[in-house]
Amino acid sequence: MDYTLYLVTDRAMAGERDFDDLVGRAVRGGCTLVQLREKDASTGEFYERALRLKRVTDYFHVPLIIDDRIDIMMAVDAAGVHLGQSDMPAGVARQLIGPDKILGVSAQTVEEAEKAESDGADYLGVGSLFPTATKKDAIAVSRETLARICSAVSIPVVAIGGLNGKNIPLLEGTGISGAAVVSAIMASEEPEAAARRLKDSIYGIL
Amino acid sequence: MDYTLYLVTDRAMAGERDFDDLVGRAVRGGCTLVQLREKDASTGEFYERALRLKRVTDYFHVPLIIDDRIDIMMAVDAAGVHLGQSDMPAGVARQLIGPDKILGVSAQTVEEAEKAESDGADYLGVGSLFPTATKKDAIAVSRETLARICSAVSIPVVAIGGLNGKNIPLLEGTGISGAAVVSAIMASEEPEAAARRLKDSIYGIL
């Protein structure tokens, strides 16, 4: 798994633009995996959207991760699922999805990170590192906590929350395996170019 | 499976009362199966609530059906899942849950009913038969359509939507296998007595 540049989707940010096309451009620009996040969709809509997006990620040979919903992940045979702390407990999720699917877990503290790793997480999403409009209730995580989490666990850690080309260099030396972005790509007029620049930034510190 | 008196939960109607205790009383009064419906819960909350309610339904040896969410159903090993027309397609759901779990599907027309049966549904929920405050956007189904659906399929049909002791007798002769209720029990001050009276009503027409 390559966690270098992890795109987390936001349908509202796509606006009038074709969502699947936008994600495809981002992947063409260098995103190494994609998480589909649909907080307001019915199960039927989420399923249809996941099915459509999987055609895009399959075409570009990048893994598709489904936010929160193991049922959707299984229904479209996505690569894995990402769980927040208010989603299914990670240990229960691991039993349901089996050993081969990717299990990502959000963690904000060393304790949550160690628990997630022992529950079977394959990677951690840690943040928010910087102010973000996407998740207004996101807990702030300091650069120091991020570094302590990276030292405490042996699984890859992906930083998330307000990341862009300017602040990614500030995370040098923390031990992260990649950067997850939402608005820096989803809200960009040029998602492919944005992904390319972000990837240069993250390559610069890995 | 005994579909005679099918309790569909509504947490808001329980108000200040203990939800699990209320459902337990309803089952003691004669409900033959229980569907947990949680439209506003996070996945983590839904999981915890389903786990708690399953202790109650297990204690009384009645099946627990989970509304919409196959992931929750699998996580708590509930008896089955109930899908609306905006949830996961029934055929996909049947593949995910395997042959042994119960699959219920909501249907409002003969066409939907026949499709659900061929997709692998074990029973149908048909309604709303009568005006209801629970689902304001529920499509009205006439007594005649209900009877036509019962004739068209070979799986059990459960009537739903505004059912109470007064109007259940109006469904005599339609061919239903049971009545599903929400407010007639969940909003009752005496859920056990309410369930007992409703069961008498439904027994009177089966």
Side-chain angles (χ1 to χ4, degrees), chain B:
Chain B
M1 284 295 296
D2 180 355
Y3 293 99
T4 313
L5 184 55
Y6 189 166
L7 175 63
V8 179
T9 66
D10 186 310
R11 194 165 297 266
M13 288 183 186
E16 299 292 298
R17 298 173 292 170
D18 183 291
F19 179 85
D20 298 314
D21 176 67
L22 194 163
V23 174
R25 285 168 193 271
V27 173
R28 199 186 291 273
C31 291
T32 54
L33 70 170
V34 176
Q35 179 187 135
L36 179 62
R37 184 187 276 171
E38 294 284 351
K39 285 302 184 195
D40 301 314
S42 70
T43 299
E45 285 169 336
F46 200 162
Y47 168 73
E48 293 295 337
R49 290 169 179 184
L51 211 55
R52 279 203 306 273
L53 189 59
K54 187 155 182 291
R55 287 193 209 111
V56 177
T57 55
D58 280 354
Y59 178 82
F60 287 106
H61 302 290
V62 296
L64 176 65
I65 307 291
I66 303 293
D67 176 52
D68 179 8
R69 298 289 296 267
I70 290 169
D71 51 349
I72 305 294
M73 186 273 275
M74 295 172 83
V76 305
D77 192 27
V81 67
H82 185 90
L83 304 178
Q85 292 288 327
S86 64
D87 297 336
M88 187 91 73
V92 177
R94 174 53 82 195
Q95 285 195 299
L96 292 181
I97 68 178
D100 297 333
K101 292 292 185 186
I102 296 164
L103 178 60
V105 176
S106 296
Q108 278 87 29
T109 64
V110 170
E111 190 182 0
E112 285 179 359
E114 290 176 335
K115 172 95 168 63
E117 182 176 34
S118 71
D119 284 345
D122 290 307
Y123 77 88
L124 300 178
V126 175
S128 280
L129 270 303
F130 301 102
T132 165
T134 315
K135 291 190 126 185
K136 287 177 184 109
D137 59 346
I139 296 165
V141 171
S142 67
R143 187 188 178 288
E144 189 195 341
T145 297
L146 175 64
R148 285 175 52 223
I149 288 173
C150 292
S151 300
V153 300
S154 58
I155 53 178
V157 171
V158 180
I160 189 167
L163 298 190
N164 56 46
K166 283 180 187 162
N167 57 33
I168 284 174
L170 302 175
L171 301 180
E172 185 165 13
T174 54
I176 58 170
S177 297
V181 297
V182 188
S183 59
I185 288 177
M186 294 303 296
S188 169
E189 291 299 314
E190 295 182 307
E192 186 172 340
R196 219 174 288 281
R197 283 192 297 270
L198 287 161
K199 199 150 181 188
D200 284 343
S201 297
I202 184 78
Y203 270 151
I205 67 158
L206 292 187

